[in-house]
Amino acid sequence: MGSPSTATRVTARRRRAAPAPATRYDRRLAEILVHATEVFCKKGYEGASMRDLARASGMSLAGLYYYFESKERLLFLIQKHTFTTIVQGLKARLEGVSDSEERIRIFILNHLEYFLANQAAMKVLSHEAEALKNGFASEVAAIKREYYRICVGLLDKLKSDRGLQFQTRIAVLSLFGMMNWIYTWHNPRVDADAESIAGEMGDVFLRGVMAGGKGRRDGR
Amino acid sequence: MGSPSTATRVTARRRRAAPAPATRYDRRLAEILVHATEVFCKKGYEGASMRDLARASGMSLAGLYYYFESKERLLFLIQKHTFTTIVQGLKARLEGVSDSEERIRIFILNHLEYFLANQAAMKVLSHEAEALKNGFASEVAAIKREYYRICVGLLDKLKSDRGLQFQTRIAVLSLFGMMNWIYTWHNPRVDADAESIAGEMGDVFLRGVMAGGKGRRDGR
DNA sequence: ACTCAGTTCGAACGAACGTTCGAATTATCC
DNA sequence: GGATAATTCGAACGTTCGTTCGAACTGAGT
């Protein structure tokens, strides 16, 4: 048969939505993704060679291509899975909570908990955001846009609930900056856990957007 | 002579601290740095080839090596110059200002103004922070540490002046995150200028750290 | 016109890159 | 245990990588 990877991937795709079983193919694929994430995190997407990835997953160079048709698709799968998971987790946690401040605190906590529990994957997601091209890029961009819009919705709700006045776009992007920058500095031996950092950042950010009421201090 | 670049660089290094004149060598070198910054910004350090850099500066591949002994040193020169300039500018602007809140606003404004006026260089500084190794890395890290410590000093002063209570480390790193993340989203056709964004971020951040007074909302 | 340091370049080096392919190996089912 | 499909691999492909080298060009001083 011509291209083994295409053929096998099609037949292997008949897996249930159920979590545990999964085919051998899917399990091995997930393993490789984990090791590749670690390598991409350490050396960067461009800096990591397929030979590095093969060594990390204890597999031959050619063997990798049974699971992925290209290095770019491998990065794509990592980013898509990571992003999808974090959005799913957020939606589940927001369910049933109506207070708009509490909902933003949940957003921050969910983001930072996932970030610190999956540091390598989140660094690859944040740091290699521009590495994908065309089709791959736009599919990840769509998930990112959904995530961004959820946050905008939460902040706009807070704004109207409490009659606040701030630029939602700047506030949202500042919040993402505060949170995502963590991959450049967090040291588990020095820094507190996600819940504590989320509390601290939530305090600063929420007081910051709420303390003002209406208008800027000097009316500029 | 064996290695022309080493010899010429030594003889050419007799330039004044004066701004304008500079030797031909220094002027050409600066030009190449500008073009290389643009390429590193667009394609990343690993993703940019020496051939890309040669094309961008209208020079032959071999010609570049008259000015730099390696690609890594080229990145180093860009990062060191950018970081040194921003720290210098900050120190000049802080001189004579004593109010601790105003000093932090100056820090934010200086950072964002330089960031948006030199987006490519600042992206290369932020995004390729881990690309350098050993000696190059530690020299840039020293400047970064100085810059970080200045910010810690400013915040600690505010904290003691006003009897506040927050974790300086988290606050500083959150502030850097807010500001540095801008390279991922700022669009000059949509977003306001540096002064306006600095005002907005300054409001959120300063209210955030000042509104609390002492202790966390739930005493955790 | 000649000199000589400063500057640029074409051509090439070996190494490493992403990817392919056919054969070999391993697991699965009758 | 033999047939069939799923999985793995060694070896090689053509390309591009960072870097080097000696020759050629340029411009200022004499």
Side-chain angles (χ1 to χ4, degrees):
Chain A
M1 205 174 313
S3 162
S5 75
T6 302
T8 53
R9 217 180 305 110
V10 170
T11 58
R13 271 298 155 77
R14 54 192 159 80
R15 77 193 121 163
R16 311 260 90 246
T23 65
R24 189 159 91 93
Y25 175 90
D26 288 327
R27 265 180 282 117
R28 192 80 179 95
L29 182 147
E31 266 179 44
I32 296 176
L33 279 177
V34 170
H35 290 121
T37 301
E38 217 68 47
V39 176
F40 281 151
C41 174
K42 196 168 300 175
K43 318 187 86 170
Y45 172 70
E46 300 273 4
S49 73
M50 290 297 286
R51 284 158 183 85
D52 291 331
L53 302 175
R55 200 176 314 116
S57 29
M59 206 177 196
S60 74
L61 177 58
L64 283 184
Y65 282 86
Y66 180 70
Y67 293 93
F68 315 100
E69 63 206 55
S70 71
K71 187 186 175 190
E72 193 183 8
R73 181 170 171 87
L74 174 47
L75 175 61
F76 167 74
L77 289 176
I78 292 172
Q79 294 202 343
K80 178 170 177 170
H81 174 262
T82 304
F83 227 147
T84 303
T85 307
I86 200 174
V87 172
Q88 265 178 223
L90 173 64
K91 286 178 176 172
R93 292 226 223 179
L94 281 179
E95 222 152 281
V97 180
S98 58
D99 178 69
S100 54
E101 177 179 346
E102 188 59 22
R103 284 169 68 85
I104 293 173
R105 287 208 180 264
I106 287 175
F107 180 86
I108 297 173
L109 181 62
N110 181 74
H111 192 92
L112 288 178
E113 263 184 2
Y114 191 84
F115 213 126
L116 295 187
N118 304 80
Q119 267 205 58
M122 287 302 283
K123 176 175 174 185
V124 171
L125 186 59
S126 301
H127 198 256
E128 311 294 350
E130 288 183 308
L132 297 176
K133 308 180 172 184
N134 309 323
F136 288 145
S138 58
E139 194 163 337
V140 174
I143 309 176
K144 183 193 272 188
R145 195 172 310 117
E146 184 194 358
Y147 193 54
Y148 170 79
R149 294 242 104 251
I150 290 176
C151 190
V152 167
L154 294 180
L155 269 178
D156 273 342
K157 187 66 167 34
L158 181 80
K159 202 155 80 168
S160 70
D161 278 2
R162 320 241 170 156
L164 303 174
Q165 203 163 337
F166 55 82
Q167 295 180 41
T168 308
R169 174 175 160 83
I170 305 292
V172 167
L173 293 167
S174 295
L175 178 58
F176 275 120
M178 287 175 62
M179 295 190 300
N180 289 343
W181 199 244
I182 202 172
Y183 84 79
T184 69
W185 56 265
H186 187 269
N187 179 350
R189 286 199 300 273
V190 174
D191 295 300
D193 61 359
E195 195 182 352
S196 168
I197 296 178
E200 192 83 5
M201 285 193 184
D203 285 350
V204 170
F205 179 76
L206 284 170
R207 282 182 204 143
V209 294
M210 286 169 54
K214 44 181 56 185
R216 286 277 308 283
R217 79 210 126 89
D218 54 3
R220 220 184 320 163
Chain B
M1 206 176 308
S3 161
S5 76
T6 303
T8 55
R9 216 180 306 107
V10 170
T11 59
R13 269 298 154 78
R14 51 191 161 81
R15 80 197 119 164
R16 313 255 92 249
T23 66
R24 190 156 92 94
Y25 176 89
D26 287 327
R27 266 181 282 116
R28 192 83 179 94
L29 182 147
E31 268 178 43
I32 296 175
L33 280 177
V34 170
H35 291 122
T37 301
E38 217 66 48
V39 176
F40 281 151
C41 174
K42 196 168 299 176
K43 317 186 84 166
Y45 172 70
E46 300 274 3
S49 72
M50 290 298 286
R51 285 157 183 86
D52 291 330
L53 303 174
R55 201 177 312 116
S57 30
M59 207 178 195
S60 74
L61 177 58
L64 283 183
Y65 283 88
Y66 180 69
Y67 292 93
F68 314 102
E69 64 206 55
S70 70
K71 185 186 175 189
E72 193 184 8
R73 179 168 172 88
L74 174 47
L75 176 61
F76 166 74
L77 288 177
I78 292 172
Q79 294 201 344
K80 178 170 177 171
H81 173 262
T82 303
F83 227 147
T84 303
T85 306
I86 199 173
V87 172
Q88 266 179 222
L90 173 65
K91 286 178 175 172
R93 293 224 221 180
L94 280 179
E95 222 152 281
V97 180
S98 59
D99 178 70
S100 55
E101 178 179 344
E102 189 57 23
R103 285 169 69 83
I104 293 173
R105 287 206 182 263
I106 287 175
F107 180 87
I108 297 173
L109 181 63
N110 181 74
H111 192 92
L112 288 178
E113 262 184 3
Y114 191 85
F115 214 126
L116 295 188
N118 305 79
Q119 266 205 58
M122 287 302 283
K123 177 175 173 185
V124 171
L125 186 60
S126 301
H127 198 254
E128 310 295 348
E130 288 183 308
L132 296 176
K133 307 180 173 184
N134 310 321
F136 288 145
S138 59
E139 194 164 337
V140 174
I143 310 176
K144 183 193 270 187
R145 196 172 310 114
E146 185 195 356
Y147 193 54
Y148 170 80
R149 293 243 107 251
I150 290 176
C151 189
V152 166
L154 294 180
L155 269 178
D156 273 342
K157 187 66 167 35
L158 181 80
K159 202 157 80 167
S160 70
D161 278 1
R162 321 241 169 157
L164 304 173
Q165 203 163 338
F166 54 83
Q167 295 180 40
T168 307
R169 173 175 162 83
I170 306 291
V172 167
L173 293 168
S174 295
L175 178 58
F176 275 120
M178 286 175 63
M179 296 190 300
N180 289 343
W181 198 244
I182 202 173
Y183 83 79
T184 68
W185 57 266
H186 187 268
N187 178 352
R189 285 199 301 273
V190 174
D191 294 301
D193 61 359
E195 194 183 352
S196 167
I197 296 178
E200 190 84 6
M201 283 192 184
D203 285 349
V204 170
F205 178 76
L206 284 170
R207 281 182 205 143
V209 294
M210 286 169 54
K214 43 181 56 185
R216 287 277 306 283
R217 81 209 122 86
D218 55 3
R220 218 185 322 158

